[in-house]
Amino acid sequence: MRHIWTSPLAAARSPAPTGAGGRLLPARDLAAAWFLIVLIAVPAWVLTLGQARDMGVEPGTMGLALPLFLLLWVTMMAAMMLPSMAPVAITWVRGIGRQSSGWTRTARTVEFVGGYLLVWTAFGLLAYAALALTGGLVDDHPTAARWIGAVAFLLAGLYQLGPLKQVCLRHCRDPMSHLVRYAGFRGPARDLRVGVHHGAYCVGCCAGLMVVLIPLGVMNVAAMAALAVVIFVEKLWSRGPLLARGMGVAFLVLAVLAPFQDWLLPGLQGAMPPMDDM
């Protein structure tokens, strides 16, 4: 059998999941679905921006109790992740609509969304623990902020370049093959399992990017917006895997600079002034 050589650059440039000829829905249905997603994502962003404006950027958990933090965290994740996971969500919910009607369709859709958000809520518990730990260290030893920031950027960079990131990114960039797999799921909690399964891969795809919120600040609006764009492009652009590796290299560079550049660590430098004063 003749072997066909493929360059690394060509491998990094895979067809976009929603590119020409690869749409999971007809153009009219896709436009309507995206409009619905915008209607959901925009209020989530408005709420997140309002909270960020009131709270500013502070180290640690910003004094939030765990339930309130998780509520805010899930709202943030809905705003940041919904556009990038839309191809799978839209197609699966449309399939539910074909198979069910009335309250059954509504319940199945809620089950799917609930499973997805359940995984991000579990990840929020880890985020809360990490922020509480780093916030406590900064309070006790302010100079530790530089090294905490360096370690966070280092971990994020290594994760972006590691194999787990690539496996999860391939899953998120190839929704059709996994939708076929999900069609084989059976049982009363089928849609919950689909949401949890896809949510787990989504967390695996974005975990490294979330780590940089420790030095940049969980309520840093600019950082959240930038990460949302990166996540969207990584999953839906033909050269998304190449961008993922580029971000990994950039984080490694920031890890080297962090101990000497305090401006890279707004989330570890204490309360910042409100946006109106900046």
Side-chain angles (χ1 to χ4, degrees):
M1 180 181 294
R2 186 176 63 177
H3 175 71
I4 300 176
W5 180 81
T6 303
S7 70
L9 181 59
R13 183 179 180 179
S14 59
T18 55
R23 289 189 176 90
L24 300 178
L25 295 175
R28 185 170 64 179
D29 291 347
L30 189 63
W34 274 107
F35 179 72
L36 179 60
I37 282 174
V38 169
L39 288 181
I40 298 172
V42 167
W45 271 109
V46 170
L47 180 59
T48 300
L49 291 173
Q51 291 294 327
R53 187 182 185 86
D54 293 338
M55 298 172 64
V57 181
E58 301 179 25
T61 60
M62 300 160 291
L64 294 175
L66 179 58
L68 184 57
F69 175 87
L70 289 178
L71 179 62
L72 183 59
W73 176 264
V74 171
T75 303
M76 287 171 50
M77 294 305 104
M80 295 173 66
M81 302 299 168
L82 187 57
S84 64
M85 59 91 68
V88 170
I90 291 170
T91 310
W92 185 257
V93 170
R94 187 168 183 254
I96 291 174
R98 287 173 174 171
Q99 300 169 13
S100 310
S101 61
W103 286 107
T104 301
R105 176 173 56 196
T106 301
R108 290 188 60 189
T109 301
V110 169
E111 225 179 277
F112 168 74
V113 175
Y116 182 83
L117 294 179
L118 181 64
V119 178
W120 276 108
T121 301
F123 188 76
L125 293 173
L126 296 178
Y128 187 86
L131 289 168
L133 175 62
T134 56
L137 288 174
V138 170
D139 288 341
D140 295 337
H141 309 282
T143 56
R146 298 173 181 175
W147 303 108
I148 293 172
V151 170
F153 283 123
L154 176 63
L155 292 176
L158 293 176
Y159 189 90
Q160 285 286 113
L161 297 171
L164 183 57
K165 166 74 177 190
Q166 303 308 316
V167 169
C168 294
L169 184 57
R170 281 197 298 271
H171 168 95
C172 293
R173 288 179 54 80
D174 187 17
M176 182 56 77
S177 67
H178 296 284
L179 285 167
V180 172
R181 177 183 178 184
Y182 293 156
F185 282 16
R186 295 290 183 267
R190 173 188 182 188
D191 299 291
L192 179 67
R193 287 177 59 203
V194 172
V196 168
H197 188 274
H198 187 63
Y201 273 100
C202 190
V203 167
C205 185
C206 304
L209 297 173
M210 295 297 104
V211 170
V212 301
L213 289 177
I214 293 176
L216 297 180
V218 174
M219 287 287 100
N220 187 329
V221 174
M224 284 190 288
L227 290 178
V229 171
V230 169
I231 291 166
F232 184 87
V233 174
E234 278 187 358
K235 292 183 179 181
L236 300 181
W237 187 37
S238 61
R239 295 188 178 180
L242 189 61
L243 173 64
R245 296 186 181 96
M247 292 301 300
V249 173
F251 289 150
L252 293 180
V253 173
L254 293 180
V256 175
L257 296 177
F260 313 102
Q261 302 291 332
D262 289 347
W263 63 271
L264 290 173
L265 312 171
L268 295 170
Q269 295 300 315
M272 294 180 68
M275 291 182 184
D276 291 341
D277 299 334
M278 293 182 66

